[in-house]
Amino acid sequence: SKKELKADSSLNQVVRRFVLSLFYKKIAKTTLARKLSCMRSLARFLRGQGINIDLNIKSPRIEKKLPKVLTVDEIFYLLDKLKPEDLPSRFPHRDRAIFELMYATGVRCSELSGMKLSNVDFNQKSICVFGKGRKERIVLFGDKAKSVLETYLEKERSFMVGDQEDSGFLFLN
């Protein structure tokens, strides 16, 4: 009917003005992209209700940020010069073992946190990890990582478990 068409055109005008006002505000591109995505979702919903809003707009190009990485000197300082007692942690041997294993094996944080003690083979210096999509792979580590890991197991892990039931995870909170 004529009344519905008038409502559709005024709604279309309001939404377009809102979207246009977003472009002139000094907001982050990610915020703008999120709001435009929301408006497109609204338009899809309204289309399903018989109301057509023509939103022919493109989201702004969002630059991908590069990850922040440590320099070689920072890594050597962290792994070689920083003593466990200098770490601001209740469990410095655990933290040191985490740093060392991440550096030695290149595992993801999610893989590291999911490691089970039963998957560590100290003789072969290898760990069976489950990566993205639960894909299983074997990672190797060296003598230094083995030594740091054994120190953590001897000095802290058994204390962390205490009289609780052992979950089997290599690294405990």
Side-chain angles (χ1 to χ4, degrees), residues 8-173:
D8 288 349
S9 63
S10 63
L11 180 61
N12 194 357
Q13 199 172 25
V14 168
V15 170
R16 284 183 133 333
R17 282 187 181 165
F18 172 70
V19 169
L20 190 59
S21 74
L22 292 176
F23 280 103
Y24 292 110
K25 289 184 179 180
K26 297 198 178 204
I27 58 177
K29 287 182 178 181
T30 52
T31 303
L32 179 60
R34 189 181 67 249
K35 290 183 182 222
L36 293 177
S37 174
C38 181
M39 295 309 296
R40 283 192 287 273
S41 293
L42 173 66
R44 271 193 307 274
F45 169 76
L46 291 175
R47 209 171 304 122
Q49 302 297 313
I51 302 170
N52 191 20
I53 296 177
D54 180 29
L55 288 182
N56 190 13
I57 50 175
K58 291 182 180 178
S59 289
R61 181 177 294 267
I62 298 171
E63 299 86 24
K64 293 184 179 177
K65 294 179 183 174
L66 292 174
K68 293 182 180 164
V69 295
L70 298 175
T71 65
V72 173
D73 290 339
E74 289 170 328
I75 291 171
F76 286 144
Y77 172 76
L78 185 64
L79 298 177
D80 296 333
K81 295 184 177 138
L82 190 64
K83 295 178 176 58
E85 55 270 14
D86 294 335
L87 287 171
S89 171
R90 286 181 49 211
F91 303 106
H93 293 288
R94 177 203 57 192
D95 296 349
R96 181 73 184 258
I98 288 172
F99 295 148
E100 192 64 50
L101 268 185
M102 287 186 84
Y103 179 71
T105 62
V107 295
R108 297 177 181 89
C109 289
S110 60
E111 293 170 336
L112 186 95
S113 64
M115 282 181 185
K116 295 279 191 170
L117 184 55
S118 60
N119 291 342
V120 180
D121 183 340
F122 285 95
N123 293 327
Q124 297 291 320
K125 292 185 277 192
S126 65
I127 305 171
C128 179
V129 295
F130 295 93
K132 287 183 176 180
R134 298 291 298 160
K135 289 183 183 172
E136 185 179 322
R137 64 189 172 98
I138 304 291
V139 295
L140 305 174
F141 56 90
D143 290 330
K144 186 175 177 207
K146 178 182 177 182
S147 173
V148 171
L149 194 53
E150 287 173 335
T151 301
Y152 155 65
L153 293 174
E154 291 168 18
K155 292 188 175 186
E156 289 179 352
R157 190 176 185 284
S158 58
F159 169 74
M160 294 167 84
V161 172
D163 42 344
Q164 303 174 33
E165 186 179 326
D166 189 351
S167 65
F169 286 103
L170 178 59
F171 294 109
L172 306 173
N173 288 351

